[in-house]
């Protein structure tokens, strides 16, 4: 058997280590996962009720086009239904965009470091990947623009960026969109957008009126607390969304996920409470890192990238032995760990463990 030559070397995606594995491997009874930027508050009670209601129809295929959910979301976002596409998480929308827009040899531009799935899916399509280093942990939009050629098809911007948590401002993004050729599709990944309070942050959906070559990605996995259901979406010009829809699997989002997402959209109070508790969590982590003399990137999402001033693989292992799972091993940031905001209790336990580990791991 001969697989496509360009996928032979591809790594399998390494998710945040599962709690169950850590308990088993290290014989721990309590493990706290702060590794995948999940919502420690779970999801809306309304979403849970909607899922239970959806269970009476488990034997019937879901609505492949998510018509009801699309209608509600379109009203909420102030766009037309034909501007929205749903995926099994925004990860699947990334996959579909790569599938629809990238052919072998096409060029695609992304930051380094950023969310791994832009590169991964581009590699599957055998596209030519152009990575542009971050500047102070932020997307360097002028440098990315300078890399655009006549072969560039898709350019990815993660805002806030995973793993650094930084943002590009509305003004920076607008200047960029004005300069980028209109035949380059710009994918603006706002997976963590709902957490951002900063006044300079852009609302990508509002920019769609002006730029037909923009697609905004969002997800129900993060602030809505529905990561296990796998549902996210893309919003863009109807022509772009139609092409993405053409490569979509027929029943890519489940009935339960659609029901949960639809109910979540009707629970603004839950969303606001999560925004506030996350902001309080970020403030607490900042205070503690300051006390410990550690620096960090400004965090606009639900995670903080902190410079432990020690090799991150060792920090990761030492924290793991104390039952705390974080993310480490970044190419450009060998001493940084990324920690998701947990519940106040989880955050405290993380800081207590970190304080011990900082003594244990040598600089
Ligand atoms: C920036 C970013 N985009 C997209 C995703 C994908 O999330 P999901 O597929 O769960 O919607 C993630 C997940 O961590 C992410 O960090």
């Amino acid at each position: 058997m001969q697989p496509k030559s360009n996928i032979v070397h591809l790594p399998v995606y390494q998710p945040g280590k599962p709690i169950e594995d850590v308990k088993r491997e290290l014989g721990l009874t309590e493990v706290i996962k702060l590794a995948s930027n999940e919502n420690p508050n779970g999801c809306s009670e309304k979403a849970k009720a909607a899922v239970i209601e959806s269970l009476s129809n488990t034997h019937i295929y879901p609505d492949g086009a998510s018509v009801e959910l699309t209608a509600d979301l379109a009203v909420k976002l102030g766009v037309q239904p034909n501007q929205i596409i749903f995926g099994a998480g925004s990860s699947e929308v990334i996959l579909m965009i790569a599938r629809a827009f990238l052919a072998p040899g096409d060029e695609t531009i992304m930051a380094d470091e950023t969310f791994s799935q832009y590169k991964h899916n581009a590699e599957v399509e055998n596209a030519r990947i152009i990575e542009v280093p971050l500047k102070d942990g932020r997307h360097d939009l002028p440098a990315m623009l300078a890399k655009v050629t006549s072969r560039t098809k898709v350019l990815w911007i993660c805002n806030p960026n995973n793993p650094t948590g930084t943002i590009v401002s509305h003004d920076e993004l607008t200047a960029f969109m004005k300069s980028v050729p209109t035949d380059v599709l710009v994918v603006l990944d706002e997976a963590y957008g709902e957490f951002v309070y900063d006044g300079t942050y852009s609302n990508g959906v509002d920019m769609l009126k002006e730029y037909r070559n923009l697609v905004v990605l969002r997800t129900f996995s993060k602030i809505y607390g529905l990561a296990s259901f796998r549902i996210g979406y893309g919003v863009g010009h109807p022509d772009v969304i139609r092409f993405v829809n053409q490569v979509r699997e027929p029943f890519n989002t489940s009935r339960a996920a659609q029901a949960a997402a639809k109910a979540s959209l009707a629970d603004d109070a839950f969303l606001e409470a999560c925004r506030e508790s996350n902001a309080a969590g970020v403030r607490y982590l900042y205070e503690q890192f300051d006390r410990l003399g550690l620096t960090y990137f400004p965090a606009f999402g639900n995670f903080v990238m902190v410079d432990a001033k020690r090799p991150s693989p060792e920090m990761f292992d030492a924290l793991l032995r104390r039952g705390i799972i974080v993310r480490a091993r970044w190419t450009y940031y060998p001493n940084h760990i990324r920690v998701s905001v947990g519940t106040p209790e989880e955050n405290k336990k993380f800081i207590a463990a970190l304080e011990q580990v900082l003594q244990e791991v040598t600089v």
Side-chain angles (χ1 to χ4, degrees):
M1 286 181 293
Q2 290 275 299
K4 284 158 71 170
S5 60
N6 53 305
I7 66 129
V8 173
H9 71 285
L10 281 188
V12 173
Y13 180 74
Q14 294 298 324
K17 217 167 160 52
I19 291 175
E20 295 73 19
D21 288 10
V22 177
K23 282 187 177 167
R24 198 175 45 247
E25 285 167 20
L26 297 175
L28 296 170
T29 47
E30 194 196 340
V31 171
I32 298 171
K33 183 176 175 225
L34 300 174
S36 300
N37 308 336
E38 291 143 339
N39 185 344
N41 305 304
C43 71
S44 154
E45 290 302 319
K46 290 185 179 171
K48 288 181 195 168
V51 170
I52 290 169
E53 204 185 314
S54 78
L55 295 180
S56 53
N57 282 318
T58 57
H59 56 297
I60 299 174
Y61 278 106
D63 166 14
S66 313
V67 172
E68 287 183 22
L69 173 58
T70 303
D72 285 9
L73 183 61
V75 171
K76 191 134 195 148
L77 298 180
V79 300
Q80 296 302 313
N82 63 358
Q83 290 186 261
I84 297 174
I85 181 143
F86 280 94
S90 52
S91 302
E92 198 201 12
V93 185
I94 294 168
L95 177 150
M96 292 190 283
I97 289 171
R99 199 166 179 187
F101 287 90
L102 291 175
D106 284 347
E107 292 180 5
T108 182
I109 301 173
M110 63 201 69
D112 189 11
E113 316 234 3
T114 191
F115 185 50
S116 61
Q117 292 308 288
Y118 317 141
K119 181 172 179 177
H120 178 87
N121 284 290
E123 284 188 318
V124 172
E125 302 306 330
N126 216 351
R128 195 160 160 253
I129 290 140
I130 319 287
E131 292 177 284
V132 179
L134 297 172
K135 201 169 163 188
D136 301 327
R138 301 172 70 239
H139 278 63
D140 187 348
L141 295 183
M144 293 176 86
L145 192 61
K147 294 287 181 189
V148 172
T149 72
S150 58
R151 291 178 299 279
T152 307
K153 291 285 158 43
V154 182
L155 190 151
W156 311 81
I157 300 172
C158 189
N159 201 33
N161 186 44
N162 178 5
T164 49
T166 55
I167 54 168
V168 289
S169 70
H170 178 76
D171 289 352
E172 288 171 299
L173 208 51
T174 308
F176 175 83
M177 287 307 299
K178 279 190 179 141
S179 310
V180 80
T182 52
D183 57 352
V184 173
L185 181 66
V186 177
V187 183
L188 184 62
D189 185 344
E190 295 185 341
Y192 303 98
E194 295 92 347
F195 290 107
V196 182
Y197 277 105
D198 192 275
T200 67
Y201 185 64
S202 55
N203 177 342
V205 172
D206 289 346
M207 296 174 74
L208 292 173
K209 288 183 203 89
E210 211 150 334
Y211 305 103
R212 310 166 58 112
N213 58 327
L214 182 67
V215 176
V216 179
L217 304 185
R218 295 197 184 153
T219 181
F220 285 91
S221 298
K222 304 299 177 185
I223 201 160
Y224 290 100
L226 294 172
S228 68
F229 275 97
R230 312 304 305 124
I231 187 152
Y233 59 93
V235 201
H237 189 275
D239 291 346
V240 173
I241 296 302
R242 180 163 43 82
F243 291 133
V244 182
N245 217 353
Q246 283 166 356
V247 302
R248 183 177 60 77
E249 293 296 318
F251 303 106
N252 63 328
T253 60
S254 70
R255 179 180 293 280
Q258 289 176 25
K262 189 171 182 303
S264 297
L265 287 178
D267 194 349
D268 288 340
F270 176 78
L271 196 85
E272 199 44 46
C274 293
R275 266 164 70 80
E276 283 170 18
S277 71
N278 180 68
V282 170
R283 277 197 303 274
Y284 170 77
L285 291 175
Y286 279 4
E287 280 162 22
Q288 297 303 314
F289 294 148
D290 289 344
R291 180 176 65 78
L292 297 169
L294 301 178
T295 55
Y296 43 83
F297 287 113
F300 293 91
N302 63 342
F303 54 93
V304 187
M305 182 90 148
V306 58
D307 184 354
K309 298 185 183 145
R310 291 149 179 82
S312 75
E314 288 175 44
M315 290 296 295
F316 176 90
D317 289 343
L319 285 167
L320 198 65
R321 286 195 293 277
R322 287 174 170 76
I324 311 275
I325 318 173
V326 295
R327 284 301 279 258
R329 296 185 171 83
W330 313 102
T331 317
Y332 284 94
Y333 306 104
N335 290 343
H336 280 72
I337 55 173
R338 192 197 71 193
V339 60
S340 309
V341 175
T343 61
E345 197 192 351
E346 288 172 336
N347 297 337
K348 274 202 188 95
K349 287 186 177 168
F350 160 69
I351 292 294
L354 179 68
E355 214 164 342
Q356 292 173 1
V357 164
L358 288 171
Q359 307 294 327
E360 184 183 309
V361 179
T362 46
V363 180

